[in-house]
Amino acid sequence: MPVLPTVETIRTIAWMKEHTRQARAESRIVGLVPTMGALHAGHLSLVERARRDCSPVIASIFVNPKQFGPNEDFAKYPRRFVSDSENLQRAGVDSLFAPEPADIYPHGFSTYVNVDGLSDRLEGRSRPGHFRGVTTVVMKLLQIVQPNYAYFGRKDAQQSRLITQMTRDLNVDTEIVVCPPVREPDGLALSSRNIYLNADERKAATVLYGALQAAKSELAAGVRDALQLQAVLHGALGAERQARVDYAEIVDAESFEPVIRVSQPCYVLLAVFIGKTRLIDNLFVEPKSSNSEELVFHF
Ligand code: PAF
């Protein structure tokens, strides 16, 4: 069996800071792809995008305890360091930052970043404290690596929006790049949590994409009323016995507040339990041009 070279792995904050300090001194464009590991083609598409803009590209793997609630899946979250590191090597990542929890959150750690308002809605309402954990760790990663660009997936639309807001509000010199989700051939958005689904649940999970497609058809046919669209989403999701809806909403793409009519850039957002696994997905909808009734759809 050929032995794959593994990607250079940086374990400490001090080493990581020195590494990118050197890159910046050479006027290189540093890209960061933050992850929690259990990598799939969605993460690798972020790496691919980063490689177009940056050299070096750094990926981080850190399963952030502060973004999991007490009854969530922190303990069982998939950890696959060896295969992740091989995949990152193949994808052309230059180095991997994999800090220890005690380095990121040393004894006495007590400073958190919270994006008010936006953090409390939808995902934030269902997962109290989740976004505070996300924005805190992402802010720390941006401080440590100081990348020119950082890459996030649009599957986590609210997370990407919050991170963009945070960097704007706190004058962080990193441009946030939000990239489209990657989907299985049957439409299921790739997620590290898809591995929790058994064969039956995996089939049932396509209902999320089906519901988004149903909403798209209505929108394409001219329906703009959010309540009508929500009814379509609930109808499609309700047809799947194994699906339990957490939320199905149409929100403004900036504020994530519910809209009455779709007349500006919006997200159709879903959070649905399939068995015990909570999946999220979305459809981004925007008018084709400023005064156009025609919409463009981004799955
Ligand atoms: O999307 C994720 O994987 C995580 O929320 C992130 C952005 C890496 C922060 O832990």
Side-chain angles (χ1 to χ4, degrees), residues 91-113:
V93 156
D94 297 284
S95 34
L96 165 59
F97 180 43
E100 293 298 328
D103 210 9
I104 293 290
Y105 299 119
H107 181 69
F109 179 87
S110 53
T111 303
Y112 291 84
V113 179

Side-chain angles (χ1 to χ4, degrees), residues 13 38 129 146 150 157 169 175 227 229 233 242 257:
I13 291 175
Q146 300 204 9
D169 288 348
E175 189 167 321
L227 283 179
L229 292 164
L233 292 171
Q242 302 199 60
E257 292 279 13

Side-chain angles (χ1 to χ4, degrees), residues 55-114:
S55 170
V57 172
I58 295 157
S60 64
I61 296 184
F62 180 67
V63 186
N64 174 31
K66 297 214 184 272
Q67 69 186 76
F68 290 81
N71 300 318
E72 292 186 349
D73 55 343
F74 175 66
K76 73 164 188 176
Y77 196 83
R79 287 159 173 89
R80 300 171 164 172
F81 192 78
V82 174
S83 60
D84 283 349
S85 137
E86 286 170 1
N87 284 331
L88 291 172
Q89 168 76 27
R90 268 192 221 102
V93 156
D94 297 284
S95 34
L96 165 59
F97 180 43
E100 293 298 328
D103 210 9
I104 293 290
Y105 299 119
H107 181 69
F109 179 87
S110 53
T111 303
Y112 291 84
V113 179
N114 192 59

Side-chain angles (χ1 to χ4, degrees), residues 33-37 43 60-64 67-68 77 105 130-131 133-135 137-138 141 151-153 156 159 163 192:
V33 179
T35 82
M36 297 206 299
H43 296 112
S60 64
I61 296 184
F62 180 67
V63 186
N64 174 31
Q67 69 186 76
F68 290 81
Y77 196 83
Y105 299 119
H130 168 65
F131 282 135
V134 170
T135 40
V137 83
V138 170
L141 292 169
Y151 297 82
F152 297 87
D156 297 295
Q159 166 175 284
I163 291 169
S192 303

Side-chain angles (χ1 to χ4, degrees), residues 73 76-78 192-198 201 277-278:
D73 55 343
K76 73 164 188 176
Y77 196 83
S192 303
R193 290 189 167 97
N194 290 353
I195 61 154
Y196 297 152
L197 301 167
N198 65 30
E201 291 168 343
T277 306
R278 186 172 179 280

Side-chain angles (χ1 to χ4, degrees), residues 266-284:
C266 285
Y267 281 105
V268 179
L269 293 175
L270 298 180
V272 178
F273 284 92
I274 303 290
K276 290 197 171 116
T277 306
R278 186 172 179 280
L279 300 176
I280 59 172
D281 201 350
N282 66 74
L283 165 64
F284 177 52

